[in-house]
Amino acid sequence: MTETEIEITADLVRDLLREQHPELAGLAVREVAGGWGNQMWRLGDELAVRMQRMDPTPELQLKERRWLPVLAPRLPLPVPAPVRSGEPSERFPKHWTVMTWVPGEPLDHGTISRGAHAADALAGFLRALHVEAPADAPMATDRRAHPRDRTAGFEEFLQALDPDAVGDASAVRDVWADAVAAPEWAGPPVWVHGDLHPANVVVTDGTLSGVIDFGDLFAGDPAWDLAAAWVLLPSGAAARFFDSYGRADEAAIRRARGLAAAKSLFLMLMGQNGDRGLPGGKPHWGPAGRAALDRVLKGV
C-alpha cells in the first residue's frame, strides 16, 4: 500500500496509542463518520484521535498543534485542543494528534432552530477570534485572497453544476461581481478560521455549541469567516449576526456575501458529485448548499 492507501482501523489506532501514548491505549476507540483530509476516531468520552489521511503534508495538523492552545482559552465556544502528539512511525508514516472532543452534532447532520441565539453565538465567537494575529501566524494562501483573485474558481464551481440546480446564474454572478468590486481589507491581518461550513461546526439544543477543524487557520481578511452568516445560519439571521458582530463595514459584508455564494456552490457541487472519489461521501451537502445560496441571493 502507498501512504494514501493505508487502511486506518480501530486496531491501528489502538496499536499506535500503545506505542506512543500507552496511558491512553485502554480507552474505547470508535470511528467518526465523514472527513477525508483527516479521519477522526473517538477515544473514550472526552478525546478524539485525528489521523492524517488524504492531506499530502502534515502542515494542517502541525498548525492546529501550534496555535489552538494559544487561541482556545479566549474563545467563547468549545474548540478541539491538542493533548498528545503522534509522530510518523514504521506502523503509520503520517502524523496524528489526540485532541479534546467537542460534543454536539455536526450541523450538516443537524439543524439550527434558535436562529437569534446562534447568530449571537457565532458573532461572539468571531469577535473573539478576529483579533490581530502575531507576525509568525500562518498567512493566507492564494485561495484566501480577495474575491477578484478567485473568480476562476468561482466560475469553475458554477459551470460544473447542473444549471437547473443553480437556477438564476445571472443573479449569482451579480453577487460575485459585487464582491469583486468591493475594496480590500484595509486592517491588519486577523485570525481567521478559514473553513466555516456545516461540517465544521456542531450544534446542541438548536444552536451553535462548538467549532472544529482549524486546519485552514490563517491571518488575513475576516470576510472569509463572515460568509458564515449565510452559509451556517438560518434564513433571517444574517442581519442579527452582523449587528451583534459590530465590526463589519459595507465592503466586508459585500466580500463576505460573494464568498458565501462561492461556498454554497462548492457545497452543492459536493452533493451533486457524491464523494468525488474521496472517502466519506457528501450527498447531504447539496441541500445545505442550495439553502445557503437561496439565503445569499435574498440577502437574509
Side-chain angles (χ1 to χ4, degrees), residues 178-258:
D178 186 57
V180 167
E184 294 184 1
W185 169 246
V190 301
W191 283 116
V192 180
H193 178 281
D195 197 23
L196 290 176
H197 63 71
N200 285 344
V201 298
V202 298
V203 294
T204 306
D205 297 329
T207 191
L208 288 177
S209 58
V211 179
I212 59 176
D213 196 344
F214 284 73
D216 278 345
L217 181 73
F218 71 94
D221 180 358
W224 284 92
D225 284 350
L226 300 179
W230 295 280
V231 175
L232 299 181
L233 299 175
S235 182
R240 171 74 175 246
F241 164 81
F242 283 111
D243 285 346
S244 183
Y245 180 77
R247 299 179 187 169
D249 60 15
E250 179 187 0
I253 294 174
R254 291 166 62 193
R255 294 193 306 276
R257 189 169 172 228

Side-chain angles (χ1 to χ4, degrees), residues 124-213:
F125 177 84
L126 292 181
R127 278 200 314 272
L129 177 64
H130 291 168
V131 299
E132 185 173 354
D136 58 341
M139 299 304 292
T141 62
D142 59 350
R143 70 188 183 101
R144 300 300 179 197
H146 189 282
R148 66 168 171 266
D149 299 318
R150 301 302 307 140
T151 297
F154 168 82
E155 282 293 336
E156 180 182 349
F157 290 160
L158 189 57
Q159 294 177 24
L161 282 163
D162 183 336
D164 291 337
V166 175
D168 190 349
S170 177
V172 179
R173 286 192 171 97
D174 286 346
V175 171
W176 184 257
D178 186 57
V180 167
E184 294 184 1
W185 169 246
V190 301
W191 283 116
V192 180
H193 178 281
D195 197 23
L196 290 176
H197 63 71
N200 285 344
V201 298
V202 298
V203 294
T204 306
D205 297 329
T207 191
L208 288 177
S209 58
V211 179
I212 59 176
D213 196 344

Side-chain angles (χ1 to χ4, degrees), residues 30-85:
R30 308 185 301 281
E31 184 175 5
V32 178
W36 58 72
N38 293 277
Q39 185 176 16
M40 296 289 289
W41 294 79
R42 289 290 301 273
L43 181 61
D45 294 328
E46 299 180 354
L47 300 174
V49 182
R50 188 165 169 81
M51 305 284 291
Q52 184 188 342
R53 177 163 58 183
M54 300 295 289
D55 286 343
T57 73
E59 176 186 353
L60 304 186
Q61 281 212 25
L62 298 180
K63 186 194 303 185
E64 290 184 325
R65 291 183 191 177
R66 168 68 178 88
W67 292 109
L68 279 175
V70 175
L71 296 174
R74 69 162 182 257
L75 298 176
L77 290 176
V79 301
V83 297
R84 298 285 192 282
S85 296

Side-chain angles (χ1 to χ4, degrees), residues 236-278:
R240 171 74 175 246
F241 164 81
F242 283 111
D243 285 346
S244 183
Y245 180 77
R247 299 179 187 169
D249 60 15
E250 179 187 0
I253 294 174
R254 291 166 62 193
R255 294 193 306 276
R257 189 169 172 228
L259 294 168
K263 179 71 77 173
S264 301
L265 295 176
F266 170 75
L267 294 171
M268 292 170 65
L269 186 61
M270 292 299 290
Q272 174 180 292
N273 292 352
D275 65 7
R276 301 178 74 194
L278 299 170

